[in-house]
Amino acid sequence: MTWTGKHTGKRTALVLGAGGLVGAGWEIGVLRGLLDGGVDLATADLIVGSSAGAVVGARLASGRGGLDALYEQQLDGEATEPAARLGVPTIVRYAVAVLRSRTPEEYGRRLGRLALAAPTVAETDRRATVARRLGRVTDWPARPLLITAVDAATGELTAYDENSGVPLTDAVTASCAIPGVWPPASIGGRRWIDGGIHSTANAHLAAGYDRIVVIAPSARGSKVVLSPARQGADLAAAGARVEVITPDAGSRKAMGRNALDPAHRAAAARAGRAQGTSRAEEVAAVWTG
């Protein structure tokens, strides 16, 4: 199911980008810091989640436990999965794929081939790990939630929602399937990879909303993968009020260089909370102004 809809008449959208376990901790910290400053983004009319943002978005949209509990979980030191890393050869293949691609779809196809050939854990094991990260959140929430994934064969972006007929855990597992690290997820007879491959935020899926906040652990972009700032600018040019938050210097230091190492999750969450508090006034001007 490819999302092609517009949302004219809807007020607010929250976009949560890709960024691994550490990025998820940072996003939750930012959300908690914004709440400290009086801005509750859990009230969004739409939540869009990619990869790390898919996990955070599903937890947030469910309303189970509340943001306080979700934040505290980032600090408790419990590892929901082992540390992983993109090896140098894989990083080189990512770079070559960017240089040789002209569109996000072509880039997605190249990384899809990488993902399909890479030796990884079994799909069932990976799904079980994602299910642990989601905890009690097993069903699609009542509020609108989009979870992105990329078709490993075609490179096309898909956004699953409650009407897609796909279980929430399967959609999130697909969205978190980092090529070369985790196995592509099987859904509907096809294989799917990380939604952050198309872009690190996929903020374009919030087109038509009046007020949009993008929280993206990765500010990166390229000639084929649009950065969160570029996507935010495009949404603003179309008439939306937009605020984009990416890690500041303090958050980048706390997050470290390996977004897949849970040892940095707590520090990232604390740094995100500080950054969120510092940005609350700007976000409030967009969200409630």
Side-chain angles (χ1 to χ4, degrees):
M1 188 282 296
T2 301
W3 182 267
T4 57
K6 297 294 183 180
H7 317 284
T8 304
K10 298 293 186 181
R11 289 194 63 233
T12 57
L14 170 63
V15 177
L16 298 166
L21 279 170
V22 178
W26 176 80
E27 286 180 333
I28 291 166
V30 171
L31 290 166
R32 186 64 186 85
L34 290 170
L35 187 61
D36 291 340
V39 186
D40 184 5
L41 297 190
T43 63
D45 294 314
L46 171 73
I47 296 176
V48 178
S50 297
S51 198
V55 177
V56 177
R59 297 285 302 268
L60 189 68
S62 76
R64 290 191 174 184
L67 189 52
D68 283 340
L70 189 55
Y71 177 74
E72 290 301 321
Q73 287 176 8
Q74 309 312 301
L75 310 181
D76 64 13
E78 180 182 358
T80 54
E81 61 188 77
R85 180 181 293 275
L86 277 170
V88 173
T90 302
I91 293 172
V92 170
R93 292 186 67 180
Y94 272 62
V96 171
V98 166
L99 292 173
R100 293 182 176 177
S101 300
R102 291 177 293 180
T103 66
E105 291 74 23
E106 185 176 359
Y107 180 58
R109 289 193 294 273
R110 292 181 185 278
L111 291 191
R113 290 193 291 271
L114 182 160
L116 291 167
T120 64
V121 300
E123 276 191 65
T124 53
D125 292 343
R126 178 58 182 165
R127 187 186 187 279
T129 295
V130 173
R132 286 195 297 272
R133 291 181 70 186
L134 290 173
R136 293 183 299 154
V137 180
T138 58
D139 299 318
W140 286 94
R143 70 176 56 211
L145 171 68
L146 298 181
I147 301 296
T148 68
V150 169
D151 188 312
T154 68
E156 294 179 350
L157 179 73
T158 284
Y160 294 108
D161 65 9
E162 63 178 338
N163 299 313
S164 64
V166 174
L168 177 64
T169 302
D170 289 350
V172 175
T173 301
S175 193
C176 295
I178 302 170
V181 178
W182 307 122
S186 299
I187 298 175
R190 305 190 69 82
R191 306 293 297 281
W192 301 89
I193 58 175
D194 197 298
I197 296 305
H198 190 272
S199 81
T200 58
N202 292 308
H204 64 290
L205 295 176
Y209 277 80
D210 300 321
R211 303 172 187 272
I212 304 167
V213 174
V214 180
I215 302 176
S218 174
R220 292 192 301 270
S222 68
K223 65 185 180 73
V224 292
V225 178
L226 296 182
S227 69
R230 169 64 186 277
Q231 289 196 318
D234 289 344
L235 290 168
R241 299 184 66 175
V242 183
E243 190 69 26
V244 177
I245 302 177
T246 57
D248 59 14
S251 289
R252 289 194 299 272
K253 181 177 181 181
M255 293 168 79
R257 295 187 177 184
N258 182 8
L260 304 180
D261 185 353
H264 298 284
R265 185 180 62 173
R270 292 188 181 97
R273 184 172 186 176
Q275 187 175 352
T277 302
S278 72
R279 295 291 296 274
E281 186 174 344
E282 298 163 85
V283 174
V286 166
W287 202 249
T288 61

